[in-house]
């Protein structure tokens, strides 16, 4: 079995190979759709093949292989398979079989388009229809970006199929790595600046996701539901599955995403992690204005990295001040800065025993006006559990030092913990990264919940109120002075010796000049 490092190297090597094959033809941002889309196509093909083969083997047909099965016979099991897996793929449409015939298929682009359409259509009229709809929309096999002619497009599609098919990742379900997350992160590293787009809003680095997941699940063995109101490609939800074990999240994963492409990627991510269609509910839309999960809240675990300081309708919409999510604070987040609107939304949907861990833009900690009033509401009602200052330059396309706000409704004290983790990083390439040791140290400080000079301070909410509800970590945790300490008395004594010696030398020089 390959190690995680070997599997990652295999993955990166494959992506780099495909990138070279498509260099100059496909913009990096569009290119990732082909890599991730084909990886998904391979995965669900292998997933359904393994599932059907296991059923047959248990039934005594030990030599059964779905990849060689007849389409006309396979179709009879479609209804049962869709009910169980959420989708159906004919044997002839499996990744392995399409790839095998790809080089000789003059209509490969049409073949693939028909396969993708057929997979999505298999769920129409079933419980999984919403989960499957549009999953292949961003994998445009007829795009002129792949080539000016059909033959050129097919030539490149063959290369992508072969490269993805040759990846030596074994059983994707048993991988020691998050193949999809690693592929996505590697693509972001390659193309975060492509076409002026920032990767930060689409992807939270895995180590930051892990820290959030560990904070939000600390002390919990099992939870009912995990939620992310700005879920992007689902990396935070998947980290909760890794930390707790997906079997320990009883009712599944819930999220909402406003970007269509990223919404598709998130649902793909669920399938790639073998999360069944009936165990996740990812919605498309604006969480602040049209939240989709009123009937599913409250949530035990909320993890999120919402977009920083984006515009929203705010008080231009007179109804929002009466929205039960925002009304308690008595004021709406500014129209130019929706950060604390997301925070209030998450607080509203957090269960009584739950924990929310949110990556925030640092300005929310100290800005005045409406944001100060919202902070006052949060502190006066004892909802802020911890504020953690993170290192700078952790995110793609964002170099600022962000922070984490931890929210709880069941605190046992009237204090807020401040953690300065700004120096907890290792420098890799042109980015900073949280190492396992960094995460371990931050978690130890979070769990200990005590004051430690230069690292943590446990401050009463009354003192925070006296400080104008400022939540900046550096207001409460004094950084260690690493400058060289100077003994003034010793320095003065040395200066006196130097002056005395200078006077002595001057006298000797004067005597010498007089003699000459």
């Amino acid at each position: 079995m390959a190690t995680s490092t070997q599997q990652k190297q295999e993955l990166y090597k494959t992506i780099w190979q495909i990138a070279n094959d498509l260099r100059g033809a496909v913009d990096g941002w569009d290119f990732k759709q082909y890599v991730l889309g084909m990886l998904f196509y391979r995965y669900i093909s292998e997933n359904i093949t393994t599932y059907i083969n296991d059923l047959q083997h248990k039934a005594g047909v030990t030599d059964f292989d779905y990849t060689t099965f007849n389409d006309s016979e396979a179709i009879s099991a479609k209804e049962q398979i869709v009910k169980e897996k959420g989708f159906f793929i004919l044997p002839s449409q499996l990744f392995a079989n399409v790839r095998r015939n790809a080089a000789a298929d003059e209509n490969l682009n049409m073949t693939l388009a028909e396969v993708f359409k057929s997979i999505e259509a298999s769920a129409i009229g079933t419980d999984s229809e919403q989960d499957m709809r549009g999953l292949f929309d961003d994998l445009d096999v007829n795009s002129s970006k792949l080539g000016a002619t059909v033959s050129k497009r097919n030539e490149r599609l063959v290369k992508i199929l072969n490269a993805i098919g040759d990846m030596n990742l074994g059983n994707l379900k048993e991988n020691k790595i998050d193949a999809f997350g690693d592929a996505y992160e590697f693509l972001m590293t390659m193309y975060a600046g492509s076409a002026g787009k920032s990767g930060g809003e689409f992807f939270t680095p895995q180590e930051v996701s892990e820290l959030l997941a560990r904070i939000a699940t600390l002390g919990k063995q099992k939870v009912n539901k995990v939620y992310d109101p700005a879920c992007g490609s689902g990396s935070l939800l998947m980290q909760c599955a890794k930390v707790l074990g997906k079997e320990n999240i009883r009712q599944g994963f819930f999220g909402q995403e406003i970007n269509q492409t990223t919404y598709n990627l998130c649902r793909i991510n669920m399938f790639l992690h073998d999360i069944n269609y009936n165990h996740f509910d990812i919605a498309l839309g604006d969480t602040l204005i049209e939240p989709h999960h009123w009937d599913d809240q409250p949530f035990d675990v909320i993890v999120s990295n919402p977009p920083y300081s984006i515009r929203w309708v705010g008080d231009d919409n007179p109804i929002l001040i009466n929205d039960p999510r925002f009304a308690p604070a008595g004021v709406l987040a500014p129209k130019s800065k929706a950060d604390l609107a997301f925070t209030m939304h998450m607080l509203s949907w957090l269960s009584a025993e739950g924990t929310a861990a949110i990556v925030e833009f640092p300005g929310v900690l100290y800005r005045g006006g409406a944001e100060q009033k919202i902070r006052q509401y949060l502190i006066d009602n004892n909802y802020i559990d911890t504020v953690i200052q993170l290192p700078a330059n952790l995110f793609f396309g964002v170099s600022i030092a962000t922070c984490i706000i931890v929210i709880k409704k069941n605190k046992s004290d009237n204090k807020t913990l401040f953690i300065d983790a700004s120096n907890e990083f290792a420098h890799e390439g042109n980015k900073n990264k949280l190492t396992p040791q960094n995460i371990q140290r931050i978690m130890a400080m979070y769990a200990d919940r005590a004051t430690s000079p230069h690292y943590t301070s446990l401050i009463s909410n009354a003192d925070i109120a006296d400080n104008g509800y400022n939540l900046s970590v550096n207001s409460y945790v004094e950084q260690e002075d690493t400058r060289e300490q100077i003994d003034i008395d010793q320095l003065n004594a040395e200066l006196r010796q130097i002056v005395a010696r200078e006077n002595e030398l001057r006298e000797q020089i004067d005597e010498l000049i007089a003699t000459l």
Side-chain angles (χ1 to χ4, degrees), residues 21-304:
D21 286 342
L22 295 182
R23 192 176 297 281
V26 181
D27 168 75
W29 203 252
D30 297 313
F31 158 74
K32 79 179 188 308
Q33 313 299 347
Y34 292 98
V35 176
L36 298 173
M38 287 297 188
L39 186 64
F40 173 58
Y41 174 37
R42 172 187 161 179
Y43 174 77
I44 61 172
S45 293
E46 292 181 1
N47 183 278
I48 201 167
T49 298
T50 301
Y51 175 74
I52 295 172
N53 285 352
D54 285 349
L55 288 177
Q56 292 295 323
H57 296 166
K58 287 174 184 174
V61 190
T62 54
D63 60 347
F64 183 86
D65 182 1
Y66 188 62
T67 61
T68 62
F69 201 48
N70 187 286
D71 279 2
S72 59
E73 293 183 65
I75 197 72
S76 63
K78 176 183 174 182
E79 187 176 339
Q80 178 196 344
I81 301 299
V82 172
K83 189 174 182 181
E84 291 294 325
K85 303 299 295 180
F87 62 91
F88 179 75
I89 308 176
L90 288 167
S92 65
Q93 295 181 329
L94 293 167
F95 178 93
N97 290 331
V98 171
R99 179 198 176 192
R100 186 178 298 113
N101 302 320
D105 186 352
E106 294 180 355
N107 299 306
L108 177 61
N109 60 329
M110 298 307 295
T111 299
L112 285 168
E114 185 59 37
V115 168
F116 299 154
K117 182 180 176 183
S118 176
I119 294 172
E120 288 187 19
S122 70
I124 291 176
T126 73
D127 291 342
S128 60
E129 179 175 355
Q130 186 59 44
D131 299 312
M132 295 300 299
R133 182 184 295 149
L135 281 181
F136 291 99
D137 282 358
D138 295 303
L139 211 172
D140 185 359
V141 291
N142 294 308
S143 172
S144 58
K145 294 173 182 176
L146 280 174
T149 64
V150 170
S151 61
K152 280 288 184 188
R153 290 171 207 165
N154 288 342
E155 185 182 321
R156 288 197 167 101
L157 287 169
V158 169
K159 287 182 177 180
I160 297 172
L161 281 166
N162 285 335
I164 295 292
D166 285 342
M167 285 169 65
N168 183 22
L169 292 173
N171 184 334
L172 285 176
K173 188 169 70 172
E174 295 173 3
N175 277 346
K176 289 189 172 71
I177 63 169
D178 171 1
F180 187 74
D182 284 326
Y184 198 80
E185 181 164 5
F186 187 60
L187 286 161
M188 285 298 142
T189 306
M190 290 170 66
Y191 293 113
S194 175
K197 296 177 176 115
S198 160
E201 68 176 289
F202 296 106
F203 185 76
T204 305
Q206 287 184 44
E207 63 276 5
V208 180
S209 298
E210 181 185 344
L211 176 60
L212 284 175
R214 290 196 179 283
I215 288 170
T217 60
L218 184 67
K220 298 177 171 69
Q221 301 298 320
K222 293 179 183 290
V223 299
N224 280 338
K225 305 169 188 173
V226 175
Y227 175 63
D228 184 348
C231 60
S233 58
S235 55
L236 283 165
L237 294 173
M238 290 302 90
Q239 280 294 338
C240 289
K242 274 190 174 182
V243 170
L244 276 181
K246 64 187 178 191
E247 68 281 358
N248 294 318
I249 300 171
R250 300 186 190 94
Q251 295 176 40
F253 304 84
F254 298 79
Q256 188 162 340
E257 172 57 38
I258 196 169
N259 179 285
Q260 174 83 49
T261 296
T262 321
Y263 161 69
N264 290 342
L265 291 176
C266 185
R267 290 181 296 150
I268 287 172
N269 206 1
M270 294 291 146
F271 283 108
L272 278 171
H273 285 84
D274 203 30
I275 309 291
N276 213 30
Y277 76 94
N278 55 10
H279 212 56
F280 70 84
D281 185 347
I282 307 300
L284 176 66
D286 186 336
T287 303
L288 297 180
I289 307 303
E290 296 177 317
H292 278 251
H293 296 103
W294 280 109
D295 296 336
D296 301 301
Q297 57 95 14
F299 299 101
D300 298 332
V301 170
I302 299 179
V303 282
S304 194

Side-chain angles (χ1 to χ4, degrees), residues 383-442:
Y383 291 134
I384 302 289
D385 178 80
T386 305
V387 181
I388 304 171
Q389 179 63 58
L390 291 175
N393 203 26
L394 288 178
F395 295 84
F396 298 110
V398 180
S399 60
I400 57 166
T402 56
C403 60
I404 295 173
I405 291 181
V406 183
I407 291 177
K408 290 184 179 181
K409 292 181 176 178
N410 62 337
K411 289 171 60 182
S412 57
D413 60 19
N414 284 305
K415 298 178 180 180
T416 299
L417 178 66
F418 293 87
I419 299 175
D420 185 356
S422 57
N423 293 316
E424 293 292 338
F425 67 89
H427 197 67
E428 286 190 11
N430 61 353
K431 303 297 294 179
N432 291 333
K433 190 179 180 75
L434 296 177
T435 66
Q437 292 74 26
N438 295 140
I439 293 172
Q440 190 175 357
R441 281 195 291 269
I442 295 169

